[in-house]
Amino acid sequence: MLGIVKQKMLEQSLKKIRPAVSVLRSYSSAAKQMTVREALNSALDEEMSADSKVFLMGEEVGEYQGAYKITKGLLDKYGPERVLDTPITEAGFTGIAVGAAYYGVKPVVEFMTFNFSMQAIDHIINSAAKTNYMSSGQISVPIVFRGPNGAAAGVGAQHSQCYAAWYASCPGLKVLAPYSSEDARGLLKAAIRDPDPVVFLENELLYGESFPVSDEVHDSSFCLPIGKAKIERKGKDVTIAAYSKMVGYALKAAETLEKDGIDAEVINLRSIRPLDRSMINASVRKTNRLVTVEEAFPQHGESFAYLDAPVERIAGADVPMPYAANLERMAVPQVEDIVRAAKRTCYRSVS
């Protein structure tokens, strides 16, 4: 029932915002077209066909064929043992899925919205993300958490938050945010095949958007590497880095800037964790300017205009906290770390 109401609300909202969303199309209409919804559905279908260990679970993924029809047709094809409708209890079915992944099967968990993943965050962070490290690599957790993330249309504060920064700050997780149909298809396949937990952040307003795709993308073996960004538009004056729906906005902005003689390079991050730092840095070394675009809340990143030296960053190690006392000390900042960093900013040390 909830899915039916939500689907009607979505359809009404999309009619209002369709002109704004349509500007996201930045490809030739002559190519073969595929919607993001079709890309996700075909990726799930092919991976389930190729590997009997893959199964789906979540609210309304079966009989209703998904709140956004991403799982359409999969219950009829694979049956209720591999497409599981769950009660409205994210903490419950996410815990079951993580436990199943411990035993070697490959759950794909759908959240109707990633805002609801807050009900299950203990299982995602403390169970899925940390177990491989805490078991010294003896236990893999091949699980995908997927669903719409960020702002939709008229659904309010509790259903519109972007969780990219939340999950990207947690060691042990991989965090992906597709923009186009190629991204959605290739990255979801990579996520399902990956031995580690992957948070797969989709965008509700992109599901119905069509993008051109090559024959290579249609091939069942197609897969994109995790951790690699894509230059959507080459430029020399300024780098614009974005992910998910904001990539389309960045491309539209680049078209506007071109009229003013500004040649913008647009990077589609695709992967938030791991981040393709080498591509970003290479672009910024070329343009010497950087604009970052995301739906998440702004925080930090002040005072850059007044600096005489690069920022030094002192933080905990990018691993789950070790138990051994000597490793624990190495994993958190120490006084000597701060001293060395301060000396580097004053050009008094190179170590």
Side-chain angles (χ1 to χ4, degrees), residues 17-303:
I17 64 166
R18 179 59 61 187
V21 178
S22 63
V23 302
L24 296 179
R25 291 180 178 143
S26 58
Y27 298 89
S28 168
S29 60
K32 294 180 180 178
Q33 298 287 313
M34 174 184 284
T35 66
V36 171
R37 177 181 289 107
E38 291 167 342
L40 294 168
N41 178 267
S42 64
L44 289 171
D45 185 9
E46 290 171 9
E47 293 306 301
M48 292 182 73
S49 178
D51 189 345
S52 61
K53 293 182 179 180
V54 178
F55 72 95
L56 315 180
M57 65 189 308
E59 296 157 3
E60 301 182 342
V61 299
E63 294 290 345
Y64 189 66
Q65 303 193 72
Y68 308 96
K69 300 299 179 275
I70 304 301
T71 53
K72 184 178 180 179
L74 300 183
L75 174 64
D76 291 339
K77 187 171 183 178
Y78 297 103
E81 291 186 355
R82 295 184 65 194
V83 182
L84 285 72
D85 278 321
T86 68
I88 303 176
T89 169
E90 284 78 9
F93 66 74
T94 304
I96 291 171
V98 172
Y102 285 175
Y103 281 88
V105 292
K106 300 178 179 180
V108 178
V109 176
E110 176 177 311
F111 294 120
M112 195 175 291
T113 161
F114 255 92
N115 297 274
F116 299 161
S117 74
M118 293 294 94
Q119 304 296 322
I121 197 166
D122 180 58
H123 294 300
I124 298 170
I125 301 298
N126 281 327
S127 299
K130 298 178 181 177
T131 295
N132 183 263
Y133 181 88
M134 296 182 71
S135 68
S136 296
Q138 296 180 75
I139 302 176
S140 293
V141 191
I143 187 171
V144 176
F145 306 102
R146 56 154 297 270
N149 170 70
V155 293
Q158 293 176 321
H159 295 76
S160 301
Q161 190 161 315
C162 175
Y163 288 92
W166 287 54
Y167 288 117
S169 68
C170 181
L173 292 177
K174 295 174 182 176
V175 182
L176 307 179
Y179 160 59
S180 65
S181 299
E182 176 182 310
D183 293 353
R185 183 168 158 77
L187 291 174
L188 184 54
K189 282 173 162 285
I192 293 171
R193 297 174 190 181
D194 199 272
D196 298 314
V198 178
V199 172
F200 197 85
L201 303 172
E202 302 156 11
N203 186 280
E204 183 177 331
L205 299 181
L206 289 177
Y207 285 147
E209 286 298 301
S210 293
F211 294 85
V213 291
S214 65
D215 291 337
E216 178 189 6
V217 174
H218 277 281
D219 193 279
S220 62
S221 64
F222 177 71
C223 188
L224 288 173
I226 292 175
K228 293 295 183 182
K230 178 186 179 183
I231 296 178
E232 297 281 356
R233 184 186 195 277
K234 289 186 178 294
K236 65 180 189 306
D237 294 328
V238 60
T239 299
I240 305 176
Y243 61 88
S244 190
K245 185 174 61 152
M246 292 297 103
V247 176
Y249 285 19
L251 289 167
K252 187 64 176 179
E255 293 177 4
T256 302
L257 290 167
E258 187 176 28
K259 298 174 184 177
D260 293 327
I262 298 174
D263 188 14
E265 181 152 291
V266 177
I267 297 179
N268 172 7
L269 295 178
R270 285 181 167 173
S271 177
I272 311 301
R273 182 186 183 98
L275 187 66
D276 192 349
R277 301 175 191 275
S278 61
M279 179 177 288
I280 298 168
N281 290 336
S283 179
V284 174
R285 282 195 295 269
K286 177 176 65 174
T287 65
N288 300 118
R289 297 173 180 86
L290 174 64
V291 175
T292 64
V293 190
E294 60 180 323
E295 286 189 32
F297 303 125
Q299 190 58 267
H300 314 304
E302 305 296 328
S303 303

